[in-house]
C-alpha cells in the first residue's frame, strides 16, 4: 500500500493534516475529471535529498492548467517552494510528489467556469512501480484494444485527470489478461505509449520512440532519456512506428516518473530480444539511475536539493548543476 495515510498535505497555501485534506463530493473534478496533475520524485542522494527536474514538472503542470483554462494565482516559483516545504514538513528523504490543480465545489454542470480552481500537493513513499525485479528481468506487455484519443479529441500535451480514464482502461485490460502493462496505439494505428509510460524501441543499435504527434504525453523522463542517450553517442529517432516494430525490435523499454526505466521482455507473448534486459537498455538505465541517485555530476542541472544543511555538502557553488531552494 503506497499511502501512509499520515503527514501533511499542502492545500491552497496551507499545510493540513492528511486526514483533513478533503473536498466536497460535489466538486467538479469528481464528476467531470476537471483536474491536471504531475508526478515527480525526490531521491535520497549522497549530497542530500533532491527533486528530479522539479522546475520542468511544475512548468508542465501550469501548461496543462493553461490548456484547460484553469487560471491559478500560484507561480512556478511559488509551487516549487510549496513542494519543497511540504517535503520538509513531512521530513521525507525520498518520496513521490503529486501536485494537482482541480476544479472544486460550486455548481454542477459541464461548464466548469463557476467552480473555483484549487491546488493541492501530496507526497508518499513509493517503491518501484512495476516491482524491483522488473528493472532487470523486464515485464510482459500487450498491445491494448483501447487506443489513445485522436489529436482533436483530448489534448495529449496536458497531463489531465480526464485523460487517465483511458489509461485506467488500458491498465485494467492488461492486468485482467495477465500482463504487467498495456501499450496503446494512436487513432491511426501507430505505437503511442503505455498506460502511464512512454515507450522506446531499439533496432540495429538505433533507439526509436514515438513523436508528440502520436498522441503521447511528452514525458520528462522521456526527454531525459533522449538527452542521456545522445550524451552516450546513440542515435535517437522520433518517428511514427507501426505496431509490428514492437515484435521485431531487439529491445523495448518503458520510461516515466513512476516506472523510471523498465525493460519489456515480451509483447503479445512474443519475446523481445533474449527475453531480458538488453545491453542498450541497461546502459541507458544505468546512466539514468546514476543521475537521479547523485552518483555522477549533475551536468544538466536536473537536481534541486531540498534540505539546506544537506545541500551544503554538494559540489562547490562554481560546479555545474546542483540547485537549492
Amino acid at each position: 500500500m503506497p499511502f501512509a495515510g499520515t503527514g501533511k498535505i499542502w492545500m491552497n497555501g496551507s499545510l493540513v493534516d492528511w486526514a483533513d485534506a478533503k473536498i466536497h463530493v460535489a466538486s467538479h473534478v469528481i464528476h467531470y475529471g476537471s483536474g491536471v496533475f504531475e508526478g515527480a520524485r525526490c531521491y535520497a542522494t549522497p549530497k542530500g535529498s533532491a527533486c528530479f527536474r522539479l522546475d520542468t514538472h511544475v512548468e508542465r503542470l501550469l501548461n496543462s492548467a493553461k490548456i484547460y483554462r484553469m487560471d491559478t494565482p500560484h507561480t512556478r516559483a511559488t509551487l516549487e517552494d510549496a513542494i519543497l516545504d511540504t517535503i520538509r514538513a513531512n521530513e521525507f528523504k525520498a518520496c513521490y510528489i503529486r501536485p494537482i490543480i482541480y476544479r472544486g465545489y460550486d455548481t454542477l454542470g459541464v461548464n466548469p467556469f463557476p467552480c473555483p480552481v484549487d491546488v493541492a500537493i501530496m507526497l508518499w513513499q513509493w517503491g518501484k512501480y512495476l516491482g524491483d525485479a522488473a528493472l532487470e528481468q523486464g515485464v510482459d506487455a500487450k498491445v491494448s484494444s483501447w487506443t489513445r484519443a485522436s489529436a482533436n479529441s483530448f489534448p495529449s500535451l496536458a497531463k489531465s485527470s480526464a485523460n487517465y480514464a483511458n489509461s485506467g482502461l488500458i491498465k485494467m485490460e492488461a492486468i485482467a489478461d495477465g500482463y504487467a502493462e498495456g501499450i496503446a496505439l494512436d487513432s491511426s494505428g501507430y505505437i503511442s505509449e503505455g498506460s502511464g509510460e512512454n515507450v522506446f524501441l531499439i533496432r540495429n543499435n538505433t533507439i526509436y520512440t514515438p513523436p508528440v504527434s502520436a498522441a503521447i504525453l511528452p514525458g520528462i523522463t522521456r526527454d531525459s532519456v533522449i538527452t542521456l542517450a545522445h550524451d552516450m553517442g546513440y542515435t535517437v529517432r522520433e518517428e511514427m512506428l507501426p505496431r509490428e516494430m514492437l515484435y521485431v525490435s531487439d529491445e523495448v523499454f518503458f520510461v516515466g516518473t513512476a516506472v523510471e526505466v523498465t525493460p519489456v521482455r515480451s509483447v503479445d507473448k512474443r519475446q523481445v530480444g533474449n527475453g531480458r534486459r538488453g545491453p542498450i537498455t541497461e546502459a541507458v538505465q544505468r546512466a539514468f539511475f546514476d543521475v537521479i541517485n547523485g552518483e555522477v555530476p549533475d551536468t544538466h542541472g536536473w537536481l534541486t536539493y531540498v534540505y539546506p544543511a544537506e545541500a551544503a555538502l554538494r559540489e562547490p557553488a562554481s560546479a555545474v548543476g546542483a540547485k537549492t531552494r
Side-chain angles (χ1 to χ4, degrees), residues 28-302:
H28 198 272
V29 65
I30 296 176
H31 298 264
Y32 301 104
S34 51
V36 296
F37 66 96
E38 269 302 319
R41 280 190 187 260
C42 175
Y43 291 94
T45 82
K47 299 179 181 66
S49 299
C51 296
F52 181 65
R53 302 196 68 176
L54 180 64
D55 52 354
T56 312
H57 279 285
V58 174
E59 180 181 23
R60 188 173 66 179
L61 175 69
L62 291 173
N63 285 339
S64 296
K66 184 176 182 179
I67 290 170
Y68 272 92
R69 300 179 185 269
M70 300 171 69
D71 295 330
T72 171
H74 302 293
T75 64
R76 194 180 86 179
T78 299
L79 291 174
E80 288 177 29
D81 286 340
I83 289 169
L84 296 174
D85 288 343
T86 307
I87 296 172
R88 295 174 190 132
N90 286 280
E91 299 182 348
F92 281 146
K93 298 298 182 184
C95 61
Y96 187 84
I97 304 163
R98 170 57 55 80
I100 182 168
I101 301 174
Y102 60 96
R103 295 277 184 180
Y105 169 53
D106 186 270
T107 57
L108 282 178
V110 174
N111 176 18
F113 284 132
C115 300
V117 175
D118 295 320
V119 185
I121 300 164
M122 61 187 297
L123 315 169
W124 65 88
Q125 294 173 307
W126 205 4
K128 303 305 178 187
Y129 181 63
L130 296 178
D132 292 330
L135 293 178
E136 180 177 352
Q137 297 174 11
V139 297
D140 300 311
K142 66 166 290 182
V143 174
S144 181
S145 67
W146 297 99
T147 62
R148 287 302 194 195
S150 60
N152 209 31
S153 297
F154 289 94
S156 60
L157 292 183
K159 194 173 176 71
S160 163
S161 303
N163 293 9
Y164 277 76
N166 176 255
S167 296
L169 291 169
I170 293 166
K171 186 71 172 183
M172 288 187 291
E173 179 185 70
I175 292 172
D177 290 348
Y179 299 87
E181 191 53 272
I183 298 173
L185 307 179
D186 70 8
S187 58
S188 297
Y190 291 97
I191 299 169
S192 180
E193 61 184 355
S195 68
E197 313 90 359
N198 293 118
V199 62
F200 283 78
L201 297 78
I202 300 163
R203 183 170 170 80
N204 298 327
N205 294 316
T206 297
I207 302 175
Y208 296 86
T209 194
V212 171
S213 55
I216 68 166
L217 177 73
I220 293 167
T221 305
R222 173 185 180 273
D223 177 72
S224 305
V225 163
I226 290 172
T227 300
L228 292 172
H230 283 150
D231 289 348
M232 292 186 287
Y234 292 111
T235 298
V236 182
R237 297 174 61 175
E238 298 180 62
E239 59 183 56
M240 303 299 281
L241 302 169
R243 168 182 182 159
E244 57 267 28
M245 275 287 286
L246 291 165
Y247 307 142
V248 299
S249 290
D250 303 314
E251 304 177 42
V252 177
F253 61 92
F254 288 126
V255 306
T257 297
V259 79
E260 296 170 318
V261 179
T262 297
V264 176
R265 66 189 177 197
S266 74
V267 179
D268 290 341
K269 301 190 184 298
R270 295 167 171 86
Q271 180 174 295
V272 175
N274 63 5
R276 294 177 61 85
R277 178 179 59 191
I280 296 179
T281 301
E282 184 176 5
V284 170
Q285 190 183 64
R286 186 184 306 113
F288 178 76
F289 281 111
D290 281 349
V291 171
I292 63 175
N293 291 323
E295 300 293 340
V296 297
D298 180 20
T299 57
H300 296 289
W302 287 342

